Amino acid sequence: MQNSLVPFDNNNLFDRNGHLTGMGLDAMQNGTLDELGSLEAAEHISFCNACLSRYTNWLEAMPERLLSPANDLIPQVQNLMRMRSIRIMTNRYISVAAAVILAFALWSFGAFNISGGRAQSQADRLSEGPRFSISQGINGAFGAVSRSINDLLNDLQAYAQSGLAQLAEPGHNTNDTNNGGQKSAKGE
């Protein structure tokens, strides 16, 4: 934190006994110490109990509004963590989906064909004639991936709706939890 105040003279930081002077503590509290002075004062407070006591007494006397942070960082940090976890999971699924698509494409185009216990040569495969075109294979692969993603999203949507429906039920937790998880005898 840079202040526009006049920098403190480090020669007046310590008294003859080696403790921080009152002006030194004020400079430390005001932020007018330069980098070397701040390091020396922090090091001194770390081992001098008398100066540490003086400094903590000053901190305890501060108004509560000065001790609390100006901005609450918890929501921002949680948002960043949530976005990072979404990005990581998305990258993982995209990598897996790309690998599956590549494997299916290679399999569809005959890269893994084995005939009679031996691998087919390129000439043998070409003599058989094309089974289907490349565009048909790609369309089929993307269609299968699209259908499976659509099914997954539909399942997630149904799961979320059933959870919301359970939460919206009147008296959802009153009867079940009061009887130790056993349903009441009413209406059975």
Side-chain angles (χ1 to χ4, degrees):
M1 176 169 111
Q2 295 289 340
N3 284 338
S4 60
L5 301 173
V6 177
F8 183 74
D9 182 17
N10 288 345
N11 292 329
N12 298 328
L13 190 57
F14 297 104
D15 61 12
R16 290 183 187 189
N17 296 330
H19 294 289
L20 287 170
T21 62
M23 292 187 310
L25 276 174
D26 289 338
M28 189 173 155
Q29 296 160 2
N30 294 334
T32 56
L33 289 175
D34 61 0
E35 190 173 327
L36 179 64
S38 294
L39 287 172
E40 287 177 349
E43 180 183 2
H44 180 76
I45 283 181
S46 70
F47 69 84
C48 179
N49 290 336
C51 292
L52 178 63
S53 175
R54 287 172 49 207
Y55 187 67
T56 54
N57 286 338
W58 177 82
L59 286 176
E60 288 173 354
M62 287 182 73
E64 195 60 38
R65 65 181 172 80
L66 293 177
L67 293 176
S68 64
N71 295 329
D72 187 18
L73 295 178
I74 292 174
Q76 291 174 340
V77 170
Q78 287 176 339
N79 234 1
L80 288 173
M81 289 171 53
R82 188 176 305 114
M83 293 305 293
R84 177 168 272 190
S85 66
I86 289 171
R87 190 178 314 129
I88 288 171
M89 292 305 292
T90 303
N91 288 343
R92 286 182 183 167
Y93 286 125
I94 288 174
S95 300
V96 168
V100 168
I101 288 171
L102 181 63
F104 278 128
L106 289 174
W107 181 51
S108 308
F109 299 138
F112 303 121
N113 278 349
I114 297 178
S115 176
R118 64 172 184 84
Q120 284 182 323
S121 68
Q122 184 71 19
D124 292 340
R125 279 185 269 173
L126 290 176
S127 67
E128 291 176 2
R131 289 183 281 173
F132 55 89
S133 69
I134 293 174
S135 63
Q136 288 173 336
I138 291 174
N139 285 339
F142 281 122
V145 169
S146 175
R147 285 188 298 276
S148 62
I149 289 174
N150 192 24
D151 292 344
L152 175 67
L153 292 176
N154 287 337
D155 291 345
L156 288 174
Q157 185 178 12
Y159 182 73
Q161 287 175 348
S162 69
L164 289 173
Q166 288 178 357
L167 289 175
E169 288 179 4
H172 171 67
N173 291 332
T174 55
N175 292 338
D176 292 341
T177 57
N178 290 340
N179 295 332
Q182 306 223 351
K183 294 191 177 193
S184 64
K186 296 179 189 176
E188 286 187 354

